[in-house]
């Protein structure tokens, strides 16, 4: 007879034989912080200018929603760091949602989408918000009919996906193609990594050193996009959202959320999946306390004993991750 | 009551693992740079014999987890730090999908023959 409980128990006993060694922090090679030359795209949806143009129209088009009033850009607003500046999103019928709108900057590089990683790719993600009753509240079949009766869209789809027609697949692929163009610009931090000593302040340099060492932020915020694409419970006060656990019923995933990018993070306050922190200083102080809720806290989290100056240095470093705004032109929506 | 029975069963299974299956091999699989590795090479598959033990060893300076929810074997070793290893005995033939819950890109197929 299969007895999972027994097996788990055996594992637990055996595990006691393991030898504990303390965790040490590390410094990654500097080049690992530079943006990869290529934006990854799936074999069956390579990025082309035609696909990007179509995706951009769809992204900014409120007529995609049931109310004809909400577009992707309503919540993912380029002027607000591709987010909405709200603690948690507001959707169809002004309903206040449970989670913060994440930026869509650099989502092309993520290994999964959403705070709980429930979608594997941007293509899978794209149809979610259109159909969700709390977000854009639209029936996909009626949306496809609307698009098919719009001669402008018919032409754009034909250019982007010749002979494939207007369907769920091409709709999702086009939106994903546009999102793959939304990437972070070269920040002062990148210029410094490339050798320009004057690009960032002494405080930001100290902050980066702390980020990689004493503050151990790199246990989770790794590489150019400052994410391990992993899931962690960072102990937010009063959090009741199960997060990743809904997708992977493993104990450590209770209250765990995807590590977000830190690129251009000073544009997207409030912070965390539930928007509880208004400033980056509040966020760093949270880490300095080692998190608030200890239950199921990620073991990488511990009190950091940072001085007020050190907290300020880390914030200076985070501020150096925002470069000049990449210009975004509004499309004229097709008729 | 049930817990106690399970505990006895666990002890018994350890005993049999140790005594009954002498000759079973020990394998070490490293968790390194968010991938599974064997002898310094990335792997996504490993083949072992019934009764063999795999020691999962964390080589990264941050925590990893090891779990499986496969029909063949269900376990959750929890999260453990650099330098620590945890063993799993594969006591039935079949295929188990082993993953790290923290980093879902870490996946290993264990074929037990
Ligand atoms: Cu891991």
């Amino acid at each position: 007879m299969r007895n999972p409980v027994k097996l788990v128990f055996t594992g637990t006993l055996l595990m006691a034989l393991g030898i504990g060694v303390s965790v040490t922090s590390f410094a990654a090679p500097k080049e690992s912080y530079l943006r990869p030359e290529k934006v990854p795209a799936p074999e069956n949806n390579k990025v082309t200018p035609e696909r990007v143009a179509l995706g951009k129209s769809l992204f900014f088009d409120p007529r995609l929603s049931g109310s004809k009033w909400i577009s992707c850009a309503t919540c993912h607003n380029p002027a607000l760091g591709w987010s909405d500046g709200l603690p948690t999103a507001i959707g169809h019928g002004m309903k206040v949602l449970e989670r913060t709108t994440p930026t869509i900057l650099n989502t092309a590089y993520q290994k999964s989408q959403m705070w709980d990683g429930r979608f594997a790719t941007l293509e899978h993600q794209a149809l979610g918000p259109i159909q969700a009753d709390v977000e854009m509240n639209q029936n996909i079949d009626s949306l496809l009919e609307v698009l098919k009766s719009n001669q402008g869209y018919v032409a754009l789809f034909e250019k982007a996906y010749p002979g494939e027609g207007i369907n769920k697949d091409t709709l999702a692929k086009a939106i994903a193609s546009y999102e793959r163009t939304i990437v972070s610009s070269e920040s002062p931090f990148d210029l410094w990594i490339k050798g320009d000593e004057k690009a960032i302040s002494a405080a930001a340099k100290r902050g980066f050193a702390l980020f990689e060492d004493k503050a151990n932020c790199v246990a989770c915020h790794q590489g150019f996009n400052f994410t391990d694409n992993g899931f962690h419970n960072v102990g937010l006060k009063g959090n009741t959202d199960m997060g990743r656990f809904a997708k992977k019923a493993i104990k450590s995933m209770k209250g765990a959320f995807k590590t977000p990018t830190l690129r251009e993070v000073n544009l997207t306050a409030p912070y965390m999946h539930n928007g509880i922190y208004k400033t980056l200083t509040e966020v760093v102080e949270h880490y300095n306390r080692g998190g608030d809720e200890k239950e199921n806290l990620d073991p990488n989290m511990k009190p950091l004993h940072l001085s007020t100056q050190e907290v300020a240095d880390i914030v200076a470093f985070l501020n150096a991750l925002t470069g000049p705004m990449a210009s975004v032109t509004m499309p004229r929506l097709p008729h | 009551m049930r817990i106690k029975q399970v505990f006895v069963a666990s002890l018994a299974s350890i005993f049999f693992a140790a005594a009954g299956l002498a000759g079973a091999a020990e394998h070490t699989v490293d968790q390194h740079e968010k991938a599974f590795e064997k002898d310094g090479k990335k792997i996504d598959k490993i083949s072992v014999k019934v009764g063999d033990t795999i020691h999962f060893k964390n080589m990264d300076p941050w925590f990893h987890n090891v779990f499986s929810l496969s029909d063949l074997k269900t376990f959750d070793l929890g999260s453990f730090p650099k330098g620590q290893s945890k063993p799993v005995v594969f006591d039935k033939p079949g295929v188990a999908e082993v993953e790290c819950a923290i980093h879902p890109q870490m996946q290993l197929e264990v074929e037990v023959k």
Side-chain angles (χ1 to χ4, degrees):
Chain A
M1 194 194 81
R2 304 302 313 125
N3 188 341
V5 176
K6 181 185 109 187
L7 293 172
V8 169
F9 212 89
T10 309
T12 313
L13 280 177
L14 288 173
M15 168 164 99
L17 303 174
I19 307 148
V21 173
S22 70
V23 191
T24 47
S25 49
F26 76 118
K30 275 191 160 187
E31 312 76 63
S32 70
Y33 287 104
L34 294 177
R35 192 172 83 207
E37 294 272 315
K38 273 200 174 159
V39 180
E43 211 42 60
N44 69 356
N45 193 25
K46 291 293 173 208
V47 177
T48 65
E50 294 78 16
R51 291 172 180 179
V52 173
L54 169 61
K56 185 177 190 177
S57 279
L58 294 165
F59 191 89
F60 284 98
D61 197 338
R63 298 170 300 176
L64 259 56
S65 65
S67 64
K68 316 259 176 282
W69 190 51
I70 302 173
S71 72
C72 308
T74 303
C75 300
H76 302 285
N77 181 345
L80 287 168
W82 300 98
S83 184
D84 53 15
L86 297 166
T88 62
I90 296 178
H92 182 77
M94 297 306 283
K95 188 176 162 57
V96 178
L97 309 187
E98 300 280 309
R99 294 179 183 166
T100 302
T101 305
T103 181
I104 52 164
L105 191 78
N106 292 344
T107 47
Y109 297 95
Q110 293 190 144
K111 299 275 200 296
S112 68
Q113 306 298 334
M114 311 311 261
W115 281 108
D116 54 10
R118 64 186 180 276
F119 296 116
T121 64
L122 288 173
E123 280 81 357
H124 282 112
Q125 196 280 335
L127 301 179
I130 298 176
Q131 299 176 86
D133 55 355
V134 293
E135 291 189 38
M136 293 164 77
N137 193 36
Q138 175 66 292
N139 175 291
I140 278 289
D141 292 323
S142 34
L143 171 60
L144 292 174
E145 288 317 308
V146 170
L147 293 172
K148 282 176 193 165
S149 64
N150 180 318
Q151 287 317 303
Y153 268 122
V154 171
L156 285 175
F157 270 94
E158 186 51 30
K159 273 195 210 151
Y161 298 98
E164 289 185 48
I166 298 181
N167 52 53
K168 279 187 190 177
D169 230 32
T170 47
L171 175 63
K173 282 173 160 181
I175 294 175
S177 296
Y178 176 57
E179 289 172 309
R180 290 195 174 96
T181 65
I182 303 169
V183 297
S184 51
S185 61
E186 194 164 63
S187 68
F189 170 77
D190 297 304
L191 296 174
W192 176 66
I193 288 286
K194 286 180 169 174
D196 178 356
E197 281 303 319
K198 292 204 186 73
I200 64 174
S201 67
K205 289 176 199 171
R206 289 194 303 270
F208 177 57
L210 291 162
F211 186 89
E212 282 202 317
D213 188 40
K214 182 175 172 186
N216 199 33
C217 312
V218 286
C220 306
H221 295 280
Q222 299 166 358
F224 120 87
N225 202 26
F226 293 95
T227 173
D228 59 355
N229 290 291
F231 297 86
H232 307 269
N233 180 333
V234 299
L236 300 179
K237 198 172 211 151
N239 174 50
T240 51
D241 189 334
M242 287 300 226
R244 180 69 173 167
F245 191 76
K247 183 90 172 107
K248 281 264 184 291
I250 294 297
K251 186 178 171 291
S252 57
M253 293 296 103
K254 272 189 194 153
F257 292 83
K258 191 176 65 191
T259 311
T261 181
L262 299 180
R263 288 275 171 188
E264 310 195 0
V265 70
N266 65 356
L267 305 177
T268 57
Y271 301 109
M272 308 315 223
H273 76 270
N274 53 3
I276 55 164
Y277 294 128
K278 291 192 188 70
T279 65
L280 289 171
T281 304
E282 284 177 26
V283 174
V284 179
E285 276 163 357
H286 169 90
Y287 287 111
N288 202 17
R289 294 192 297 276
D292 293 322
E293 299 289 347
K294 303 297 172 198
E295 202 194 325
N296 216 36
L297 183 67
D298 186 283
N300 293 293
M301 298 280 299
K302 48 185 189 285
L304 300 173
H305 310 291
L306 301 171
S307 67
T308 313
Q309 180 62 53
E310 288 175 321
V311 169
D313 289 347
I314 293 174
V315 172
F317 157 67
L318 294 172
N319 281 322
L321 294 176
T322 301
M325 184 179 174
S327 75
V328 179
T329 52
M330 294 295 281
R332 173 167 283 168
L333 297 177
H335 287 279
Chain B
M1 210 43 223
R2 191 178 147 72
I3 299 279
K4 192 178 139 201
Q5 280 167 9
V6 171
F7 192 81
V8 172
S10 309
L11 286 177
S13 76
I14 290 178
F15 177 76
F16 288 122
L21 298 166
E26 308 272 325
H27 311 266
T28 301
V29 169
D30 294 332
Q31 297 176 286
H32 189 217
E33 289 173 354
K34 283 177 277 166
F36 287 103
E37 279 187 1
K38 177 106 190 94
D39 305 321
K41 283 200 198 74
K42 274 191 188 177
I43 52 165
D44 52 19
K45 242 184 207 164
I46 185 170
S47 185
V48 301
K49 294 214 173 68
V50 173
D52 283 5
T53 303
I54 299 181
H55 299 265
F56 292 96
K57 184 167 188 193
N58 184 354
M59 306 290 277
D60 281 326
W62 53 82
F63 281 76
H64 284 298
N65 159 275
V66 180
F67 81 93
S68 180
L69 296 177
S70 311
D71 289 342
L72 182 70
K73 204 164 172 68
T74 303
F75 60 88
D76 177 7
L77 303 185
S79 306
F80 48 100
K82 182 173 182 166
Q84 195 165 315
S85 92
K86 291 185 182 180
V88 178
V89 180
F90 289 88
D91 46 10
K92 279 205 155 189
V95 174
E97 284 298 335
V98 174
E99 294 173 53
C100 166
I102 303 167
H103 309 109
Q105 65 268 40
M106 297 177 63
Q107 304 204 346
L108 180 70
E109 189 182 301
V110 179
E111 188 190 11
V112 190
K113 287 199 266 203

